[in-house]
Amino acid sequence: MAELHWRIDEVPWDRLDHAKVDPALVPLIKAAALVEYNANDYTAYLCNVFHDDPEFKALAAEWAVEEVQHGRALGLWAERVDPSFSFDAAVQRFRDGYSVPIDLNQSVRGSRTGELIARCMVETGTSSYYTAIGDSTDEPVLKLICRHIAADELRHYKLFYSYAKRYLERENIGRLKRLQVALSRITETEDDELAYAYYAANAPADAVYDHKTYNAAYARGAYSRYQRRHVDRAVAMVFKACGLKPHTLLYRAAASLLWRVIDGRARRLQAA
């Protein structure tokens, strides 16, 4: 049984301040709740890939318990600020239309090291995202939940990074390959998962899913929450996972480029 670092029943729900809820944040939280709650599928996939590593499989199962709690906590917050929202119904709608391929026995990244680097990218993104969301809201309960989740995701990053180093000793994958894996996983944030989660959580019952529409709706809300410091921290984590030194000239150039991309896209989407 996983030892949780915080529990939903410990959240001070009575402190929820409806006057401080940002309506533009609510659709993002609903979508995030679905993605987090779907962690058991990823665990099944990871356990297939690492089928002969019982220690890692046990840790992956504990990781999933925390991720599922993230989804449930975000879903409960969304239900409290929008009584018309049903988290369970949204979860079912999401699962009816989107699924993770779990019947694979080898990593889609080409190696176990690559798989662990990809997981580091996911934890980098989520830790940075929930930090940005928490910093952008004045609603105290959501701020606390985001702080808890961001801390969990940072610990998850450290967990996957420690195993990536262990497998790197066996597979000896160079920095360039690790960077390719990292970049490929980062670009997958534009795939169907987040867009479909946004649709399942927010679209009317008779709405037809269109990737471009709901991906833009999600990105319009999410990108505007980032500040430069969130991007700098994320790039440092990416560099570390790929075996590159952070806080170098290359790091500063990469962080500046990523910030321009995110800030520029946020401005374009808001203008549109």
Side-chain angles (χ1 to χ4, degrees), residues 53 67 87 127 130 136 145 155 196 202-203 208 218 231 233:
D53 189 338
E67 295 291 311
F87 175 64
S127 179
Y130 289 110
S136 75
I145 292 172
R155 284 189 295 98
Y196 203 90
N202 297 290
V208 177
Y218 167 78
V231 174
R233 177 173 173 268

Side-chain angles (χ1 to χ4, degrees), residues 1-8 62 65-66 69 152 155:
M1 187 70 177
E3 182 179 344
L4 296 169
H5 289 74
W6 60 281
R7 295 182 181 277
I8 290 178
E62 293 181 4
V65 171
E66 292 192 326
Q69 176 174 258
D152 283 348
R155 284 189 295 98

Side-chain angles (χ1 to χ4, degrees), residues 144-255:
L144 177 63
I145 292 172
C146 287
R147 187 180 301 130
H148 282 325
I149 296 176
D152 283 348
E153 306 292 23
L154 181 58
R155 284 189 295 98
H156 297 164
Y157 170 91
K158 293 176 179 177
L159 167 68
F160 290 122
Y161 177 69
S162 67
Y163 274 85
K165 291 197 297 182
R166 183 181 303 184
Y167 274 95
L168 183 61
E169 293 176 359
R170 309 177 193 178
E171 297 176 331
N172 195 29
I173 295 175
R175 289 187 180 90
L176 180 59
K177 179 61 178 177
R178 281 179 272 166
L179 185 59
Q180 289 173 339
V181 169
L183 293 175
S184 69
R185 185 60 187 88
I186 290 170
T187 60
E188 288 172 18
T189 56
E190 299 291 327
D191 69 9
D192 265 341
E193 184 177 33
L194 287 170
Y196 203 90
Y198 192 95
Y199 160 80
N202 297 290
D206 59 350
V208 177
Y209 174 67
D210 175 71
H211 171 79
K212 183 177 180 180
T213 298
Y214 291 99
N215 186 58
Y218 167 78
R220 183 180 302 112
Y223 281 28
S224 64
R225 302 289 162 174
Y226 283 94
Q227 300 175 36
R228 175 63 190 264
R229 68 176 183 272
H230 303 135
V231 174
D232 288 350
R233 177 173 173 268
V235 173
M237 293 170 70
V238 171
F239 267 48
K240 181 178 178 181
C242 296
L244 301 171
K245 292 182 178 180
H247 312 302
T248 61
L249 183 61
L250 179 60
Y251 157 78
R252 290 194 291 272

Side-chain angles (χ1 to χ4, degrees), residues 14-82:
D14 59 327
R15 288 177 50 206
L16 198 155
D17 189 342
H18 290 266
K20 293 183 177 179
V21 172
D22 179 354
L25 257 182
V26 178
L28 295 177
I29 298 303
K30 293 175 181 178
L34 303 188
V35 175
E36 294 285 330
Y37 197 71
N38 210 34
N40 284 325
D41 281 355
Y42 287 102
T43 304
Y45 162 70
L46 287 173
C47 287
N48 286 341
V49 173
F50 294 88
H51 58 88
D52 57 354
D53 189 338
E55 180 183 289
F56 179 80
K57 289 167 63 177
L59 289 170
E62 293 181 4
W63 164 81
V65 171
E66 292 192 326
E67 295 291 311
V68 168
Q69 176 174 258
H70 297 168
R72 177 59 72 180
L74 293 169
L76 284 173
W77 183 88
E79 287 182 331
R80 287 171 182 254
V81 301
D82 179 5

Side-chain angles (χ1 to χ4, degrees), residues 52-154:
D52 57 354
D53 189 338
E55 180 183 289
F56 179 80
K57 289 167 63 177
L59 289 170
E62 293 181 4
W63 164 81
V65 171
E66 292 192 326
E67 295 291 311
V68 168
Q69 176 174 258
H70 297 168
R72 177 59 72 180
L74 293 169
L76 284 173
W77 183 88
E79 287 182 331
R80 287 171 182 254
V81 301
D82 179 5
S84 69
F85 175 67
S86 168
F87 175 64
D88 290 337
V91 167
Q92 190 59 55
R93 188 184 189 190
F94 179 54
R95 291 177 173 173
D96 286 344
Y98 179 85
S99 61
V100 177
I102 63 175
D103 56 345
L104 303 173
N105 54 20
Q106 290 186 332
S107 171
V108 297
R109 312 296 167 185
S111 67
R112 290 181 172 182
T113 302
E115 185 61 49
L116 292 163
I117 295 296
R119 295 314 311 172
C120 285
M121 296 306 100
V122 174
E123 305 305 327
T124 295
T126 51
S127 179
S128 301
Y129 181 59
Y130 289 110
T131 300
I133 292 292
D135 287 347
S136 75
T137 183
D138 293 323
E139 200 294 296
V141 174
L142 180 59
K143 184 179 284 290
L144 177 63
I145 292 172
C146 287
R147 187 180 301 130
H148 282 325
I149 296 176
D152 283 348
E153 306 292 23
L154 181 58

